[in-house]
Amino acid sequence: MTGGGAPTARVEHAMAPGVGSEVFLFGGQASAVNAWDLELPSSFYGDTWIFSVELQIWQRVECATGPGPRTGHSANTFGESVYMYGGSRDEQPAHDLWRFDLQHRTWQAIAGSPEPPSRTLHAAAASDNVLLVHGGTTDPVSLHYPDPRCFDVWQFDLTQQQWSAARASLVNATAAAFKCRFMHSLTGLGGVAYMFGGLALSRPEPDSVIHFEAEVLDDLWAYNIEAQTWTPVLDTGVRPGARFDHAAVMIGQTLWVLFGRLAYGQYAPDPAWQFDPATQAWTHIKLPASAETPLARGGLAIATSDDSNIVLFGGESRLSINVGLSFRDTWLFRPSAAQPWETANNSLFPPIRFSQSAVTLGPPDETMVVIFGGINVDSGFLNDIWSLSLTTVNGSALTWRQHVSRVRKNKRKREGRREEKEKGRGKKRRKKRKKEIRKKER
């Protein structure tokens, strides 16, 4: 492992919890500002980084072998390993699975037969020592759906280190009702994974000039891992409207769906929905018109604290990075409180951004959310890292902390010392040259 400053500004990278206060980061899309960099033959990164919140140090991991550059990949931590799957490389989806050993700092390719077909914009979830992969698209450019492969569910057994193609069958549903999708959510709870919303992939005519058609979905499905079955959740009463690119998280035994997009450039005005698997019912968290709530948005970062609260940061209100409104506000959502939304009113906030990555660390020592990267509409891609402690959110202010890696400072000191040595060597060479000239003149 070597030093080397901090990762270059980027988006669509993968982050995952490391050991203790460490954060794992891999890949992502390079900023146009850095397109001149000779180390970037393509627009994607393939570098591995570890950041220690405790030591305030970024360290770049140099490995003899490792995954290639990519964007839009998933990363999940199990024990002392990070499993990274899929993504897009040079506008081509990937299907490789890699394991990164957090203790020994090494990559291992997990190959075998069978293995999932290539895909990107898929959903991944972890439940009962199994990594699940579902949906996505094989064509990240036009987002057309060229074949039926992404209807499948793949399960990776973390104990056996083996992929298996689930022979998923439908229960109480027709094949027409189950639509392949991307930009949906898949959230694990015990031996069940819940899939909600997303975009149904289009099947354009062969001569069609339309590059994107998709149906926004509002259905909820339960996938039984052991039985390998999909069952539609026939909930009664009101349910969330169709949406995609939303946030979904489990708190206790309930599923929460936050925000999301109704269409490109349109965002869900109802920020919070709760689904209770025990009653098979949705609950919309309605608030008085006078209540303070976050504005509708997408591209946000969320994290959960150990006392069942949700922290929300940032986001944007348009699809385009050139047009729209971005946010830097921080909100605490307490589901059981009379006024569930509480905003942080502190002077220190991360700069406005969206499409950043976030990861939750801890406990036992401290639970915190760490964010890195993203896009600022004025300054472009970002490479700063911030943390927000969630251990004492009850009754105390939400305070962000910016981390400046000491490696960068040490690097500058080393460079300064090298410059001073070079100057000293230059003076010695000039003195020696003068002596040689004098000898010749004599």
Side-chain angles (χ1 to χ4, degrees):
M1 179 178 293
T2 64
T8 310
R10 65 190 69 193
V11 295
E12 296 184 7
H13 46 285
M15 289 174 61
V19 177
S21 68
E22 293 180 342
V23 177
F24 163 91
L25 182 149
F26 181 85
Q29 181 177 348
S31 167
V33 175
N34 304 309
W36 54 267
D37 194 329
L38 297 179
E39 295 181 358
L40 300 175
S42 69
S43 59
F44 302 130
Y45 286 112
D47 48 354
T48 306
W49 292 82
I50 298 292
F51 180 75
S52 171
V53 177
E54 179 183 0
L55 301 178
Q56 301 284 290
I57 292 176
W58 274 111
Q59 292 180 309
R60 180 169 181 171
V61 181
E62 301 289 354
C63 297
T65 60
R70 69 191 64 203
T71 182
H73 42 295
S74 57
N76 300 83
T77 300
F78 297 94
E80 296 182 350
S81 298
V82 175
Y83 290 84
M84 193 181 76
Y85 170 74
S88 177
R89 297 180 298 190
D90 295 326
E91 300 182 350
Q92 296 297 322
H95 65 86
D96 48 346
L97 176 67
W98 289 79
R99 184 177 73 87
F100 181 75
D101 188 316
L102 292 167
Q103 287 288 358
H104 299 94
R105 305 290 200 254
T106 56
W107 280 106
Q108 176 189 359
I110 299 178
S113 181
E115 60 183 8
S118 300
R119 69 191 68 201
T120 187
L121 299 177
H122 56 280
S127 184
D128 279 7
N129 210 37
V130 171
L131 174 66
L132 298 174
V133 172
H134 171 263
T137 175
T138 57
D139 187 352
V141 180
S142 67
L143 298 181
H144 284 169
Y145 183 63
D147 57 55
R149 295 184 299 175
C150 290
F151 278 99
D152 56 7
V153 179
W154 284 80
Q155 301 182 180
F156 182 76
D157 189 307
L158 294 163
T159 303
Q160 301 296 327
Q161 296 284 288
Q162 180 66 45
W163 279 111
S164 64
R167 298 183 179 275
S169 57
L170 301 178
V171 177
N172 300 327
T174 63
F178 188 84
K179 298 180 179 180
C180 188
R181 63 195 71 200
F182 64 101
M183 299 185 78
H184 54 301
S185 61
L186 189 66
T187 313
L189 176 63
V192 178
Y194 290 92
M195 178 180 71
F196 175 74
L199 291 172
L201 297 166
S202 62
R203 295 178 178 83
E205 297 298 327
D207 297 330
S208 173
V209 296
I210 298 176
H211 294 287
F212 181 83
E213 287 183 350
E215 175 189 358
V216 186
L217 304 173
D218 69 346
D219 51 348
L220 178 67
W221 293 76
Y223 178 72
N224 186 297
I225 296 175
E226 183 177 359
Q228 298 186 359
T229 55
W230 284 107
T231 303
V233 179
L234 304 177
D235 51 90
T236 58
V238 67
R239 64 162 59 184
R243 65 192 65 197
F244 65 99
D245 195 24
H246 49 280
V249 64
M250 284 288 180
I251 296 183
Q253 300 297 309
T254 59
L255 169 68
W256 287 86
V257 172
L258 305 173
F259 293 97
R261 294 176 178 171
L262 308 178
Y264 282 115
Q266 299 180 19
Y267 297 82
D270 45 351
W273 287 81
Q274 179 190 37
F275 176 75
D276 187 347
T279 61
Q280 300 283 285
W282 284 100
T283 301
H284 180 208
I285 308 301
K286 296 181 179 180
L287 299 174
S290 59
E292 191 176 18
T293 60
L295 296 176
R297 66 191 68 194
L300 65 155
I302 66 167
T304 57
S305 66
D306 52 5
D307 53 2
S308 299
N309 297 320
I310 300 175
V311 175
L312 175 154
F313 171 76
E316 46 84 26
S317 62
R318 294 286 178 89
L319 173 66
S320 171
I321 66 173
N322 298 316
V323 180
L325 176 66
S326 299
F327 302 98
R328 64 181 298 186
D329 51 350
T330 303
W331 292 81
L332 177 65
F333 181 66
R334 308 176 194 267
S336 59
Q339 169 55 36
W341 288 105
E342 176 187 337
T343 184
N345 296 310
N346 295 303
S347 58
L348 183 63
F349 285 95
I352 293 172
R353 72 189 65 201
F354 64 96
S355 294
Q356 66 276 3
S357 290
V359 64
T360 303
L361 300 181
D365 298 329
E366 181 181 15
T367 303
M368 68 180 72
V369 56
V370 179
I371 67 169
F372 173 81
I375 303 173
N376 180 283
V377 293
D378 294 321
S379 56
F381 288 21
L382 304 170
N383 74 329
D384 52 346
I385 186 165
W386 296 71
S387 68
L388 177 70
S389 175
L390 307 181
T391 302
T392 57
V393 293
N394 285 317
S396 62
L398 296 170
T399 303
W400 283 98
R401 177 187 180 192
Q402 184 176 13
H403 301 279
V404 180
S405 175
R406 290 204 300 261
V407 170
R408 304 179 74 179
K409 295 179 181 178
N410 293 339
K411 183 181 179 182
R412 286 195 292 268
K413 289 180 180 178
R414 290 195 299 270
E415 290 174 348
R417 287 194 293 267
R418 281 197 294 268
E419 290 178 0
E420 291 177 0
K421 288 181 179 179
E422 285 298 324
K423 289 179 180 179
R425 293 192 188 103
K427 289 180 179 179
K428 291 180 180 179
R429 285 194 294 268
R430 286 193 293 273
K431 288 182 179 180
K432 185 177 179 180
R433 181 60 178 165
K434 287 180 180 179
K435 289 181 180 180
E436 291 175 352
I437 293 173
R438 287 171 185 164
K439 286 181 180 180
K440 290 180 180 180
E441 289 177 349
R442 292 174 185 168

